[in-house]
Amino acid sequence: MLLRTILAATTAATALLLPATAAHAAAEPTTPPATVSTVDTVTAADRAAAAAADPVVVVGGLIGISIAYEPIAARLRADGYRVSIYQLPNLGFGDIRESARALSSYVDQVRAATGASRVDLVTHSEGGLVSRWYVKFLGGSAKVDQYVSLGSPQYGTYVANIVNFLGLGSCAGIVACQQMTIGSSFLADLNAGDDTPGPVRWTTVRTWQDELVRPVDNAALADGATNILVQAWCPLRVVGHLGLVLDGTTYTAVRQTLADAQIRPNCFAV
């Protein structure tokens, strides 16, 4: 049964990697400067500040094993942050609300181990929805300082339509996939009311070349969130859905966000 589920999930993920075409996004809330600085250094003082900052929990996505997030976790550690990786239960196949409850317990463990009152969440794909449910409905707003999502389908994606087209049924029976479908009851509940509740600082990062989140602008949030489109700053930067956790330019935006610095992504970062 588990093998069949994994095969179905793999097939669904493969379908999602098919190229898709999306309309151009609305203008970003902040217009990037004509010239973006390529200077992006981290000083000893920056590292000391990071070490004293909130611990960072990297929240993975669907089929996202922990090791897949080691690259971004390693960057954060090298810059002084205390980092742990949260792998979604059952690789994220199940109910997103259950994954959010498990995340709640994990955050409490991190807070207890570090003595921190709050954590920062850097999330990828489905992990962004898991984290939003935790913040909005499970008391996370009192325990999370910064929320950063990388390619999370905040308002859903056409994944189910593609899988249905291939004759595999509704998301091949994967509950989380069904919940990430545009118009799902899960997303209706999650997106009812304020997108950015509580004192949490909300940031999203998205890319034109995202193969899994379509339309791309569904990865943005309303109600005062800071929404960063990689190509609004670096038009020639090519970053896919999985690439968001590997890309150097994307990482500079994440680090600047966590440091409460001005957002000026380094287009030449590796």
Side-chain angles (χ1 to χ4, degrees):
M1 182 64 180
L2 177 60
L3 178 60
R4 289 166 58 189
T5 302
I6 293 173
L7 289 174
T10 303
T11 304
T14 301
L16 283 169
L17 291 170
L18 293 174
T21 302
H24 285 289
E28 293 301 289
T30 302
T31 303
T35 302
V36 177
S37 172
T38 61
V39 177
D40 187 56
T41 58
V42 178
T43 66
D46 292 331
R47 291 189 177 88
D54 299 323
V56 178
V57 178
V58 176
V59 184
L62 181 64
I63 322 179
I65 60 175
S66 294
I67 195 172
Y69 297 97
E70 275 298 335
I72 190 169
R75 289 182 191 263
L76 287 164
R77 292 188 190 105
D79 286 336
Y81 288 95
R82 296 171 291 172
V83 185
S84 59
I85 300 172
Y86 178 71
Q87 178 179 298
L88 298 184
N90 300 313
L91 295 181
F93 291 172
D95 191 327
I96 292 174
R97 292 165 294 198
E98 293 298 325
S99 293
R101 279 187 273 274
L103 174 61
S104 177
S105 297
Y106 184 81
V107 168
D108 286 344
Q109 292 173 24
V110 171
R111 292 171 59 239
T114 61
S117 59
R118 290 177 177 266
V119 302
D120 292 336
L121 301 179
V122 175
T123 73
H124 180 241
S125 196
E126 182 190 338
L129 301 181
V130 171
S131 299
R132 279 185 67 205
W133 191 274
Y134 161 59
V135 170
K136 190 167 186 176
F137 297 113
L138 301 176
S141 63
K143 302 173 183 178
V144 175
D145 185 14
Q146 299 231 42
Y147 165 101
V148 183
S149 68
L150 308 177
S152 293
Q154 310 287 5
Y155 279 82
T157 178
Y158 287 119
V159 54
N161 304 70
I162 298 173
V163 177
N164 273 325
F165 176 77
L166 295 176
L168 297 175
S170 178
C171 282
I174 301 169
V175 174
C177 172
Q178 294 167 352
Q179 291 174 322
M180 289 187 281
T181 301
I182 294 172
S184 72
S185 59
F186 168 81
L187 288 174
D189 291 340
L190 180 62
N191 293 320
D194 190 356
D195 273 5
T196 58
V200 179
R201 289 169 288 177
W202 300 82
T203 303
T204 74
V205 183
R206 68 192 194 280
T207 173
W208 278 137
Q209 292 87 27
D210 197 316
E211 312 93 336
L212 274 66
V213 180
R214 292 292 176 171
V216 169
D217 284 348
N218 277 14
L221 291 171
D223 301 317
T226 299
N227 295 302
I228 302 168
L229 174 64
V230 173
Q231 289 76 26
W233 294 88
C234 308
L236 300 182
R237 194 76 177 190
V238 177
V239 186
H241 183 76
L242 299 177
L244 285 166
V245 297
L246 304 171
D247 178 63
T249 293
T250 301
Y251 176 71
T252 62
V254 171
R255 190 182 66 219
Q256 290 161 3
T257 298
L258 294 179
D260 292 323
Q262 182 180 9
I263 305 299
R264 294 176 64 88
N266 181 352
C267 297
F268 298 93
V270 295

